[in-house]
Amino acid sequence: MTITPVLLCGGSGTRLWPLSRKSYPKQFVPLMGKETLFQASAKRLSGLFIEEQDEACFAAPMVLTNSDFRFIVTEQLQAVGIDPGAILIEPEGRNTAPAVLAAALRAAAQDPDAILLVAPSDHVVPDVAAFHAAIERGLEAVRAGQLVTFGIQPSHAETAYGYLELAETPDASGNPVALKRFVEKPDATRAAEMLAAGNFKWNAGIFLFAAKDILAAFQTHAPTLIAPVQAALDAAEVDLGFLRLAPSPWGEAEDISIDYAVMEKAENLSVVPFDAAWSDLGGWDAVWREAGPDADGVVTTGEATAIDCKDTLLRSDSERLEVVGIGLENIMAVAMNDAVLVADMSRAQDVKKAVTALKAKGSAQATTFPKDHRPWGWFESLVVGERFQVKRIMVHPGASLSLQSHFHRSEHWIVVEGTARVTVDDEVKLVTENESVYLPLGCVHRMENPGKVPMVLIEVQTGAYVGEDDIVRYEDVYARG
């Protein structure tokens, strides 16, 4: 028995701003420990899933993401020892229904009986064994042609989640139960009523089914999605191991969730109750709960200090910025190099309003992460002036930037860690720690890391314009336009 995980990782996670942003959303950030949520999700869906049966295992994951994250996905999977399966690049976000359909169509082309487990890549599930046991309980229903979803036992009257109303109160076996209906996100009063009723579960958005069965459901309930998604697959192009879905037909697919398109209409849907801990970390209040507050209800992360505080989250994701709270109650304060969030804990779901407000005023902090992650490593701006910019750049071992030139700026590179192989027009030379090289305006240049350890340098740009779009690429191993 083999299950193919389908990991969805194209979301922006605005409710966890400023740590999560459009350019680097929460699934790729180490929110709860050293591993990112995406890495933890991939590890949770790898190897054996039924320990007593050696033949039962997960296949390599199929990942659906967008072009900006394609190299982050491969880098983070390789960092935890997982070889990815297919990585499908969505030309634009069309919600979960087209994404799930694309995965099912691709899997069914190889094996119509293939079993898929569709999961968001930003959830926290501490008890992996309990989750695997829940999958095992769902397999019998899948073999009977059922579409299976997983209902989370509510721990509190949450208003940020949708709910599943079960046809009956589940027993202690945890076996699948018929679904009565989906329930939209409730107000506080209704959430409390559903919590007390006992037959309502949180909708986790995790699904288990055979490829042929979900395709039959699409054919019955959302047939207009099939033609554009199939056309996007048929015309897809392989690019450095990624599969780029064709933009034109993909753009014709309706922007709709899998719940609205299929699941709310399907009559063959069963719910596996899952009573162990789970969170989608949908707000800073959820991060506070999952982090394990101390006796005073305080959580501190990074360079943060709490004095006489209660029910408070203090977090610094900047090694140069200390967050200190004195006499705070029910407050969340999250600091990064370029932005600080301070809000009442009860307003956690309103953080996305801050992103909207920042977008309206044109602030880069609304969407752009301080560290700009690239296929070869990352850079961050340390100082930006009217005619200059200072950056710190990290290049992975064996990686190289594109062969390029600039119209409006010259650059000075100072290596501070490792060794760089630098090309300046026709000259190639090694630059080691505490050495520098000057790149005059208009020169054709490239930076490479020929070593076995990360290479770090400080770049000083000077000129009339220092924007990231002042670049002409001549050669690029990452096939960027």
Side-chain angles (χ1 to χ4, degrees), residues 299-301 304-306 309 312-316 323-325 328 331-333:
V299 170
T300 59
T301 303
T305 301
C309 294
T312 288
L313 169 70
L314 299 178
R315 180 180 181 119
S316 174
V323 175
V324 179
L328 302 179
I331 293 294
M332 51 190 188

Side-chain angles (χ1 to χ4, degrees), residues 32 61 92 145 173-174 199 273 277 293 402 414:
M32 306 295 295
E92 59 180 295
S173 69
N199 65 322
S402 61
I414 305 100

Side-chain angles (χ1 to χ4, degrees), residues 101-322:
L101 178 56
L105 287 168
R106 193 177 194 283
Q110 301 174 4
D111 178 11
D113 293 316
I115 297 177
L116 306 179
L117 178 70
V118 177
S121 60
D122 56 359
H123 291 183
V124 173
V125 184
D127 192 339
V128 175
F131 185 61
H132 289 180
I135 294 171
E136 183 180 0
R137 292 195 297 273
L139 283 175
E140 184 175 350
V142 170
R143 295 187 187 100
Q146 292 284 297
L147 308 176
V148 172
T149 188
F150 296 83
I152 308 301
Q153 176 60 38
S155 59
H156 57 282
E158 179 61 66
T159 60
Y161 300 150
Y163 284 70
L164 305 169
E165 182 178 2
L166 309 187
E168 58 186 273
T169 301
D171 58 28
S173 69
N175 289 328
V177 177
L179 175 72
K180 183 175 181 180
R181 66 185 177 107
F182 285 79
V183 181
E184 296 291 336
K185 296 176 182 178
D187 59 25
T189 300
R190 182 59 180 144
E193 292 172 351
M194 290 190 290
L195 178 64
N199 65 322
F200 288 86
K201 303 288 185 180
W202 287 337
N203 180 9
I206 304 172
F207 301 99
L208 181 69
F209 42 65
K212 63 182 180 182
D213 294 327
I214 191 64
L215 292 180
F218 271 101
Q219 187 65 57
T220 300
H221 305 295
T224 58
L225 280 174
I226 295 176
V229 174
Q230 183 67 69
L233 268 173
D234 292 342
E237 296 182 354
V238 176
D239 176 13
L240 296 178
F242 306 104
L243 186 66
R244 288 185 176 272
L245 300 173
S248 181
W250 185 259
E252 296 174 3
E254 183 181 0
D255 186 334
I256 187 171
S257 73
I258 186 68
D259 283 358
Y260 287 146
V262 173
M263 298 303 178
E264 292 189 3
K265 305 170 185 176
E267 297 180 355
N268 59 329
L269 198 146
S270 296
V271 181
V272 173
F274 184 68
D275 294 343
W278 169 91
S279 176
D280 73 341
L281 295 184
W284 284 113
D285 54 342
V287 174
W288 170 79
R289 282 192 297 268
E290 292 300 314
D294 65 15
D296 295 318
V298 173
V299 170
T300 59
T301 303
E303 305 302 316
T305 301
I307 301 172
D308 298 331
C309 294
K310 183 178 180 181
D311 299 333
T312 288
L313 169 70
L314 299 178
R315 180 180 181 119
S316 174
D317 281 87
S318 169
E319 59 190 23
R320 304 193 301 270
L321 198 156
E322 179 80 28

